[in-house]
Amino acid sequence: WQDPQPTQSPLDAIKQLVSRFTQERPVALSLDLHAHSRRCNLFSFGCSARRRREFNDRRAPGFERVFPRMLADRCEAFQYGGCSYNM
């Protein structure tokens, strides 16, 4: 686990990559794109306020909802009502 390999543990490799990026500049947005067998259209998941506090996230409340709202305004397939911010 000290040296994650992208093919064996992709999430750890992504965390390592983001960590390197944040040394140069802040990361404002990350997207996890995937599909579900029981949900149609596009939607997003986000952290709850409690989880954001645990991560010491100092951004304004609701920050994680801005991009999904903008996307919903511009893309008919994106369902803002299908988003969940309780992760």
Side-chain angles (χ1 to χ4, degrees), residues 9-28:
S9 54
L11 290 178
D12 288 320
I14 290 169
K15 286 167 51 177
Q16 213 174 54
L17 182 64
V18 170
S19 180
R20 277 187 283 167
F21 283 157
T22 58
Q23 292 174 5
E24 298 173 21
R25 67 182 65 85
V27 174

Side-chain angles (χ1 to χ4, degrees), residues 17-73:
L17 182 64
V18 170
S19 180
R20 277 187 283 167
F21 283 157
T22 58
Q23 292 174 5
E24 298 173 21
R25 67 182 65 85
V27 174
L29 176 70
S30 67
L31 296 174
D32 176 11
L33 303 174
H34 59 281
H36 286 269
S37 61
R38 289 179 266 152
R39 292 188 74 173
C40 297
N41 295 323
L42 306 170
F43 53 91
S44 69
F45 293 128
C47 291
S48 65
R50 180 184 59 80
R51 291 286 291 170
R52 288 186 60 201
R53 283 191 301 275
E54 288 174 13
F55 292 124
N56 201 23
D57 187 341
R58 293 186 176 100
R59 292 175 292 187
F63 177 84
E64 67 280 355
R65 298 170 190 235
V66 173
F67 182 77
R69 171 51 68 192
M70 290 169 49
L71 189 57
D73 289 345

Side-chain angles (χ1 to χ4, degrees), residues 1-14 16:
W1 298 108
Q2 296 301 320
D3 183 27
Q5 300 303 309
T7 57
Q8 295 174 349
S9 54
L11 290 178
D12 288 320
I14 290 169
Q16 213 174 54

